Amino acid sequence: MQPIMASQWEEFYASHLPPPDFEDNRTLLKEFCARQSKVGQRIVLITSGGTTVPLEHNTVRFVDNFSAGMRGAASAEYFLEHGYSVIFMHRLKSLEPFTRHFSGQKFMDMLDLQITEQDTSITVKPDSVDVLAPVLLNYKAAQETGRILYVNFTTVADYFWLLRAACECLATLGPKAMLYLAAAVSDFYVPSNEMPTHKIQSGAVPNISLQLVPKLLSPVVNLWVPHAFVVSFKLETDENILLSKARDSLNKYKHKLVIGNILQTRRQRVVFVMSDDSYEVTLTREQMINGIEIEEHIVTNIINHHTQYMSVHKF
Ligand code: PMT
């Protein structure tokens, strides 16, 4: 009898322990999905931000990437506006929905401080109320209706464990579940057994050999959530290969939609690639000046495709 070969992604799980907070997150994910499923909600799992690749077990140094998490955080707000429930699976300290509008000094600059002998009070500056109020309103609505769950990862291994756990919970929702995989996941990693325990000393140039991180789209689409509406992203820096790479990915994994984007223009142009069609979604200069975000258009477009998908895929 032929021995059964473990796939590369199975080997990756076998050689990486789950993160310390994994069981807590798994419970949160299960409870969240069960609650949303009971009331017939559509759920989108959004992955957002980059993953790190540690170079030492006691990690001082790691390899990281450019992703700020803007795509995921902005999209989460638009999905909520359209009535979806959202699992926001993001890189710790990357941008988050709602608070992203006030990162850096912005929030401090919106406040006034009054100190008298009797008391101290803080108020929002009158000209900032119009900016803060709509964001606060949407934030409170999402919190009070319990339609958003935040879970976070840092390393590529954390990402692997969380994604599989989230898929296990989402599988029960069938076509009502959507995966919106906007995270920029590391492509290379240092195998556990080749990683030093302690900080690499700076005396000599280290010789680090990297291995390929297995793509998770295959088990996601074929095993974990076969009925869900899966959307992946493809980032390139060379316009000439973007469309073909996006189409290759769709042909290989056979999911529903790939959204292609170019690093430098990702805030104003993306290309939707489906099995039978492809089209661009772009912002005009005027829309950009007026603060329109491309994620608003991406999300509206995707929801149309998801609705159509649900109408022909009953569960
Ligand atoms: O965060 P921002 O600064 O706003 O930028 C947004 C973005 C450019 C990161 C985003 O729009 C984007 O393009 N993300 C995907 C980047 C990419 O090219 O991924 P990939 O080709 O390595 O992977 C293809 C798809 O599989 C992606 O949807 C990825 O999330 C997913 N993937 C990849 C590897 C892996 N091991 N598991 C995965 O699930």
Side-chain angles (χ1 to χ4, degrees):
M1 214 165 72
Q2 287 279 333
I4 297 170
M5 299 283 285
S7 62
Q8 284 168 335
W9 57 266
E10 283 171 309
E11 279 173 18
F12 190 93
Y13 282 104
S15 57
H16 292 84
L17 288 173
D21 58 356
F22 177 67
E23 284 306 329
D24 292 343
N25 278 328
R26 186 141 78 157
T27 305
L28 288 174
L29 286 163
K30 266 191 203 157
E31 289 171 356
F32 184 79
C33 290
R35 258 198 325 273
Q36 307 305 326
S37 165
K38 218 171 168 182
V39 290
Q41 271 288 115
R42 294 184 186 188
I43 303 190
V44 57
L45 166 72
I46 298 178
T47 68
S48 183
T51 61
T52 66
V53 169
L55 299 183
E56 302 123 341
H57 283 287
N58 291 300
T59 311
V60 173
R61 302 187 184 90
F62 51 84
V63 180
D64 203 349
N65 66 48
F66 70 96
S67 172
M70 173 68 109
R71 177 81 81 224
S75 303
E77 290 178 25
Y78 295 112
F79 275 113
L80 286 165
E81 262 177 39
H82 284 275
Y84 277 67
S85 296
V86 173
I87 299 172
F88 187 64
M89 184 181 141
H90 63 289
R91 160 77 178 278
L92 186 68
K93 295 184 190 156
S94 66
L95 292 175
E96 292 182 18
F98 310 114
T99 56
R100 73 185 173 100
H101 297 276
F102 314 109
S103 55
Q105 283 174 280
K106 266 191 196 163
F107 185 63
M108 290 300 191
D109 291 340
M110 292 179 136
L111 303 177
D112 267 336
L113 178 67
Q114 295 90 24
I115 302 175
T116 63
E117 276 187 10
Q118 285 74 38
D119 67 357
T120 301
S121 65
I122 297 169
T123 51
V124 176
K125 284 182 186 162
D127 60 351
S128 295
V129 170
D130 285 352
V131 183
L132 188 59
V135 180
L136 194 59
L137 192 72
N138 289 338
Y139 167 76
K140 288 206 175 288
Q143 292 297 116
E144 280 158 17
T145 52
R147 282 197 296 119
I148 184 161
L149 175 72
Y150 297 80
V151 283
N152 64 61
F153 56 82
T154 299
T155 67
V156 64
D158 301 347
Y159 172 90
F160 264 58
W161 282 96
L162 264 187
L163 185 65
R164 187 167 67 174
C167 287
E168 274 165 15
C169 304
L170 286 169
T172 55
L173 281 107
K176 276 198 174 141
M178 185 196 301
L179 269 69
Y180 184 86
L181 303 172
V185 184
S186 318
D187 282 326
F188 315 104
Y189 74 107
V190 183
S192 217
N193 58 357
E194 291 178 24
M195 212 190 287
T197 304
H198 295 292
K199 181 186 164 195
I200 300 170
Q201 293 302 305
S202 54
V205 179
N207 191 358
I208 295 165
S209 89
L210 298 168
Q211 274 193 17
L212 275 180
V213 172
K215 296 276 182 203
L216 283 184
L217 271 171
S218 174
V220 163
V221 175
N222 298 307
L223 295 176
W224 301 340
V225 280
H227 303 290
F229 189 80
V230 177
V231 180
S232 74
F233 282 77
K234 176 54 68 187
L235 176 82
E236 292 298 337
T237 54
D238 178 356
E239 181 66 57
N240 296 318
I241 62 168
L242 180 65
L243 206 58
S244 64
K245 294 289 275 192
R247 195 154 286 291
D248 286 351
S249 171
L250 200 68
N251 290 337
K252 185 165 179 190
Y253 300 111
K254 311 248 177 301
H255 51 305
K256 304 298 173 277
L257 169 63
V258 178
I259 301 181
N261 51 177
I262 292 287
L263 182 67
Q264 294 80 356
T265 58
R266 68 190 191 279
R267 307 272 177 246
Q268 70 230 40
R269 176 178 165 267
V270 297
V271 50
F272 274 50
V273 180
M274 288 151 299
S275 58
D276 53 355
D277 193 13
S278 70
Y279 62 90
E280 284 188 8
V281 172
T282 52
L283 289 184
T284 60
R285 233 179 96 73
E286 202 187 349
Q287 286 174 317
M288 293 198 70
I289 291 166
N290 289 330
I292 305 289
E293 295 180 307
I294 194 159
E295 287 78 11
E296 184 179 345
H297 295 293
I298 295 176
V299 168
T300 318
N301 269 274
I302 290 186
I303 290 177
N304 288 338
H305 293 300
H306 186 205
T307 304
Q308 210 179 342
Y309 174 75
M310 281 177 57
S311 70
V312 287
H313 291 84
K314 303 285 179 207
F315 194 50

